[in-house]
Amino acid sequence: EINDEKIELARQYGMKAIGSESNIGIAKAIQELLYNVDYRCKFVLFLEKDWKVVEAPEIVLKQINIAKKILISGKADLVKLRSRYNPGHPNFAAYFFQGQEEAAFKVQPNLFCNLYHWIEDPELRWPNLFRVCNRNPNYYCVISEYCNWTNNPCLFHKDWWLTEFGPILDSI
């Protein structure tokens, strides 16, 4: 939801505020933002205001550059940027499945990709589901059936979102 205070804050930083007077939901809001992104922009770094950066700035920049490399290579459509070893709270996958990982397949398979927060070398335990997309540091790829959408920090191609979600959201 937008208000005069948010419009003024954006203006102070040389930005354009985009919003609605009512809550249109996160998916439609992202859609509206992406329709207003400069055509030269290829990537979207999705960050909500309540996420805390837990790494040093140079590490964050390195992680973003690796994520871009993975996207450019075509190995993934979206790269999650939540800290693997310091993921913060809540981490629902850990609450429900830490110590009983196989249950994730039966109960909520779309949380499966989050098991890498506490399982070392998940590609060895589940080689048909996890693959290494980047080494040193390791980034893992999992098909979307086992990896839910998240409002956690992530990087993705703008055109991927508009192609995959655009038609669905435009019809709502």
Side-chain angles (χ1 to χ4, degrees):
E1 297 171 33
I2 197 162
N3 59 35
D4 291 340
E5 179 183 343
K6 292 175 185 172
I7 292 169
E8 176 57 26
L9 180 63
R11 190 193 63 69
Q12 288 175 13
Y13 289 94
M15 300 174 141
K16 174 181 160 186
I18 301 168
S20 172
E21 292 181 6
S22 62
N23 188 331
I24 61 172
I26 189 71
K28 290 287 276 187
I30 295 169
Q31 184 83 344
E32 287 301 314
L33 284 172
L34 294 184
Y35 281 146
N36 283 280
V37 169
D38 187 287
Y39 73 93
R40 296 168 292 185
C41 176
K42 294 180 180 181
F43 303 105
V44 174
L45 179 59
F46 183 80
L47 299 169
E48 288 190 334
K49 66 180 181 178
D50 57 348
W51 278 92
K52 180 179 178 184
V53 175
V54 297
E55 306 288 355
E58 60 275 7
I59 299 297
V60 172
L61 184 59
K62 180 180 177 183
Q63 291 170 341
I64 290 170
N65 285 327
I66 291 169
K68 283 173 54 178
K69 181 178 114 179
I70 292 169
L71 293 172
I72 291 167
S73 74
K75 294 177 183 176
D77 294 313
L78 180 146
V79 178
K80 292 184 174 189
L81 295 169
R82 185 173 187 175
S83 175
R84 180 175 186 191
Y85 298 111
N86 189 9
H89 298 284
N91 183 348
F92 291 111
Y95 294 159
F96 297 129
F97 301 117
Q98 193 164 6
Q100 51 186 354
E101 289 78 16
E102 303 301 325
F105 289 111
K106 297 177 190 125
V107 179
Q108 196 167 359
N110 66 321
L111 290 180
F112 187 73
C113 67
N114 295 293
L115 304 185
Y116 88 108
H117 285 292
W118 67 89
I119 299 292
E120 289 298 323
D121 304 315
E123 77 283 11
L124 300 178
R125 187 163 172 185
W126 299 286
N128 58 327
L129 298 174
F130 279 91
R131 64 184 167 80
V132 178
C133 294
N134 186 83
R135 292 220 180 260
N136 299 318
N138 283 356
Y139 281 64
Y140 298 98
C141 284
V142 178
I143 63 171
S144 60
E145 177 182 357
Y146 298 107
C147 203
N148 60 308
W149 167 258
T150 178
N151 288 352
N152 290 190
C154 59
L155 187 75
F156 54 86
H157 277 287
K158 176 183 70 174
D159 291 341
W160 168 78
W161 173 281
L162 294 173
T163 300
E164 295 298 320
F165 296 104
I168 297 164
L169 294 169
D170 288 342
S171 70
I172 296 175

